[in-house]
């Protein structure tokens, strides 16, 4: 298995171009199951999760061609409607094929995702909502079997709000008979991106980006050409890279308006930040302690919690994190402690006492965002940090070591022999 090796201590300077958003691309790729017509997608990030989704779609009959972030996709016929355990255990977001398959093909067999490193992550709300729309669903031997004669519009209330749940139902409802209303819908920007894509394909979706989304079903969708939104979590991660190394970075091709809470938090933690229409410039200053609570958008994202924790380890005082989305998303804390951080975990709280410096160590990545927090800590730690299990990092960050070394980081990938 590959490793990332970092010699810390260099402030980063320069410009990093932000890639397309993984969590917008995944549902949009799943949504291509909705029509037999061709699609062109641009700004598709070259990360492992996207490759996994493409493989899954190919196994269902998709013809996919392209490179450098631009792909043409066509699924003239759905040749298989099964997402077996092998795919779903590799990537939970495989569950996103359930809604579109039911809507177009009227049948889907998708492995039930289990728990993962950050929590139990049930999908009961996806299944209950699809049943409300007229799907017949059974779960046997770890497989979800869903069929329908025709999905019908319904009023669905999500509690808690769920990102992929909202996406699954929004896709399913595009081809349903009648109108579907999603209440307490997730409001993440990736939901809006999916709705824009679907509307370009001829769907009739109103209210995406608010907590109530109305979908008027249409008989059929067409293909479309669409450019995926920039990745707000990659943007936020590189903002922390500037802040933690006391460097200065300009992040281009991003959307500052999707990061208001993260920008305000980093300002309060001592960074100087200016923004333009599609760029953010951030200059790290002395790091101040701060308290954050992760909550659904537009509040502080759980996907930035681990990176914020890395920054807090070097603040001048005591910070607190309250994680309200996933019950066990603190795996990075134990690894950061091995680098000299002082972190105490109690239930869903983390108390972080800032220290003067971190020291490089051998650490293990446990999930995607945990891995990025270890990279961030490694960028500033004294000596060498060696991060194993970097396949977690590769799931969601495009060429992270290339992007960071171009702005001065001493970081390299050591290939497994
Ligand atoms: N939940 C339920 N029942 C459900 C669905 C969700 O109880 O049927 C609960 C979850 O257990 C959790 C909360 O609702 O406590 C929110 O989970 P959500 O369903 O919103 O998460 P998700 O859709 O599985 C997406 C992202 C995650 C991100 C979360 C939260 C994708 C592919 N994944 O997951 O991204 O952390 O929303 O914003 O969009 C990542 O990129 O590293 C990542 C984990």
């Amino acid at each position: 298995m590959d490793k990332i090796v970092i010699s810390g201590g260099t402030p980063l300077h320069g410009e990093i171009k932000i890639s397309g958003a993984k969590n917008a691309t995944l549902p949009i790729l799943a949504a291509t199951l909705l029509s037999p017509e061709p699609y062109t997608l641009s700004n598709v990030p070259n990360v492992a999760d996207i490759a996994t989704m493409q493989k899954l779609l190919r196994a269902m009959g998709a013809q996919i061609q392209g490179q450098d972030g631009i792909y043409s996709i066509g699924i003239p016929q759905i040749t298989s409607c099964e997402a077996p355990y092998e795919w779903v255990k590799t990537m939970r977001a495989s569950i996103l094929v359930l809604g579109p398959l039911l809507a177009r093909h009227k049948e889907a067999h998708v492995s039930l995702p289990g728990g993962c490193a950050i929590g139990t992550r049930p999908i009961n709300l996806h299944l209950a909502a699809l049943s409300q729309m007229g799907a017949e669903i059974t779960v046997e031997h770890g497989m979800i079997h869903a069929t329908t004669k025709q999905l019908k519009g319904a009023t669905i209330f999500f509690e808690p709000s769920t990102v992929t749940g909202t996406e699954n139902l929004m896709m399913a409802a595009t081809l349903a008979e009648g109108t579907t209303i999603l209440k307490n819908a997730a409001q993440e920007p990736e939901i809006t991106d999916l709705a824009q894509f679907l509307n370009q394909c001829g769907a009739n979706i109103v209210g995406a980006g608010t907590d109530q989304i109305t979908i008027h079903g249409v008989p059929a969708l067409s293909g479309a050409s669409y450019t995926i939104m920039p990745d707000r979590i990659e943007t936020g991660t590189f903002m922390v890279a500037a802040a933690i190394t006391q460097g200065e970075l300009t992040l281009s091709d991003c959307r500052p308006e999707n990061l208001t809470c993260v920008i305000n938090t980093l300002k309060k933690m001592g960074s100087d930040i200016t923004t333009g229409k599609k760029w953010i410039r951030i200059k790290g200053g002395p790091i101040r302690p701060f308290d954050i609570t992760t909550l659904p958008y537009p509040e502080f994202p759980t996907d930035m919690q681990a990176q914020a924790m890395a920054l807090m380890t070097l603040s001048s005082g005591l910070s607190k994190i309250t994680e309200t989305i996933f019950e066990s998303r603190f795996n990075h804390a134990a690894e950061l402690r091995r680098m000299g951080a002082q972190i105490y975990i109690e239930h869903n709280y983390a108390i972080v006492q800032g220290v003067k410096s971190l020291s490089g160590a051998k650490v293990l990545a446990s999930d995607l965002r945990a891995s990025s927090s270890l990279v961030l800590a490694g960028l500033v730690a004294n000596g060498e940090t060696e991060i194993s299990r970097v396949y977690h990092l590769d799931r969601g960050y495009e060429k992270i070591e290339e992007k960071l070394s171009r702005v001065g980081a001493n970081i390299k990938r050591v290939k497994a022999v």
Side-chain angles (χ1 to χ4, degrees):
M1 276 185 278
D2 292 2
K3 288 177 182 165
I4 295 274
V5 179
I6 309 172
S7 282
T10 319
L12 305 185
H13 285 279
E15 181 175 329
I16 298 180
K17 188 179 168 316
I18 298 303
S19 299
K22 165 185 84 86
N23 287 350
T25 312
L26 288 169
I28 288 175
L29 278 172
T32 63
L33 284 161
L34 285 165
S35 163
E37 291 191 19
Y39 305 86
T40 306
L41 299 180
S42 310
N43 208 27
V44 174
N46 183 8
V47 296
D49 273 8
I50 300 305
T52 304
M53 182 59 97
Q54 289 182 349
K55 279 188 209 155
L56 176 58
L57 292 179
R58 280 199 179 96
M60 294 178 168
Q63 293 151 9
I64 306 179
Q65 279 174 336
Q67 55 187 3
D68 300 332
I70 302 179
Y71 290 89
S72 60
I73 302 173
I75 314 180
Q77 264 201 322
I78 292 174
T79 52
S80 155
C81 60
E82 185 172 333
Y85 181 60
E86 285 59 41
W87 299 105
V88 179
K89 75 167 193 236
T90 311
M91 187 183 67
R92 299 177 59 85
S94 307
I95 191 69
L96 285 165
V97 300
L98 182 58
L101 277 176
L102 260 181
R104 173 171 161 198
H105 193 68
K106 317 280 189 246
E107 184 178 353
H109 305 279
V110 178
S111 174
L112 185 71
C116 76
I118 62 177
T120 49
R121 303 184 73 182
I123 55 145
N124 56 313
L125 299 175
H126 304 227
L127 301 187
L130 288 168
S131 300
Q132 249 185 284
M133 293 186 70
E136 294 199 6
I137 300 181
T138 55
V139 180
E140 259 183 345
H141 308 297
M143 284 296 282
I144 304 161
H145 301 283
T147 55
T148 183
K149 286 201 175 69
Q150 170 63 45
L151 291 176
K152 296 207 165 49
T155 297
I156 289 155
F157 182 76
F158 291 115
E159 182 54 46
S161 83
T162 155
V163 175
T164 49
T166 301
E167 291 164 347
N168 236 338
L169 269 293
M170 201 160 74
M171 293 187 280
T174 55
L175 295 179
E177 204 177 279
T179 296
T180 301
I181 300 175
L182 305 180
K183 296 191 170 192
N184 200 27
Q187 300 176 52
E188 272 65 7
E190 293 77 14
I191 306 273
T192 313
D193 215 40
L194 173 64
Q196 278 171 4
F197 168 74
L198 291 168
N199 281 342
Q200 270 200 26
C201 299
N204 186 347
I205 302 172
V206 188
T210 73
D211 65 356
Q212 180 161 316
I213 304 178
T214 304
I215 305 118
H216 303 285
V218 295
L221 294 180
S222 63
S225 289
Y226 193 76
T227 302
I228 310 279
M229 65 177 276
D231 196 309
R232 64 194 166 98
I233 306 301
E234 187 198 23
T235 313
T237 303
F238 289 134
M239 288 176 75
V240 177
I244 203 168
T245 65
Q246 308 280 292
E248 184 169 358
L249 289 176
T250 301
L251 308 172
S252 56
D253 289 358
C254 63
R255 277 195 199 157
E257 70 270 25
N258 290 342
L259 283 134
T260 306
C261 187
V262 171
I263 290 173
N264 289 339
T265 301
L266 292 179
K267 278 185 180 167
K268 289 190 176 120
M269 293 184 76
S271 290
D272 188 24
I273 302 174
T274 44
T275 60
K277 197 159 182 279
K278 288 188 179 174
W279 56 265
I280 297 174
R281 189 165 304 130
I282 170 162
K283 188 170 189 292
I287 303 164
R288 292 195 289 265
F290 194 63
D291 294 350
I292 63 169
T293 299
T294 64
L295 282 167
Y297 189 84
E299 302 299 329
F300 196 88
T302 176
D303 289 347
M304 280 298 300
Q305 179 258 106
Q307 301 88 317
M309 184 186 280
L311 187 61
M312 287 170 180
T313 64
L314 290 166
S315 86
S316 54
L318 205 65
S319 304
K320 181 177 171 192
I321 298 177
T322 309
E323 170 60 62
T324 76
I325 308 291
F326 293 117
E327 66 273 23
S328 50
R329 204 174 200 181
F330 283 138
N331 289 323
H332 39 285
E335 300 302 299
L336 290 170
R337 267 191 224 121
R338 301 194 61 252
M339 301 176 72
Q342 284 192 20
I343 304 167
Y344 311 90
I345 307 285
E346 184 83 33
H347 307 294
N348 64 329
Y349 300 104
I351 305 290
V352 185
Q353 171 65 60
V355 293
K356 289 234 154 12
S357 62
L358 297 176
S359 62
K362 291 187 176 179
V363 286
L364 271 187
S366 56
D367 67 79
L368 171 56
R369 308 302 169 188
S371 333
S372 70
S373 81
L374 300 177
V375 170
L376 293 167
L379 289 174
V380 73
N382 296 322
E384 201 167 86
T385 297
E386 188 182 293
I387 304 169
S388 309
R389 298 194 186 156
V390 293
Y391 54 85
H392 288 296
L393 201 60
D394 295 336
R395 293 184 61 176
Y397 288 93
E398 182 171 80
K399 299 182 186 152
I400 191 168
E401 70 275 19
E402 279 179 37
K403 289 190 180 191
L404 286 172
S405 57
R406 259 189 250 128
V407 293
N410 195 335
I411 178 170
K412 64 177 185 222
R413 178 179 293 256
V414 180
K415 290 264 176 208
V417 279

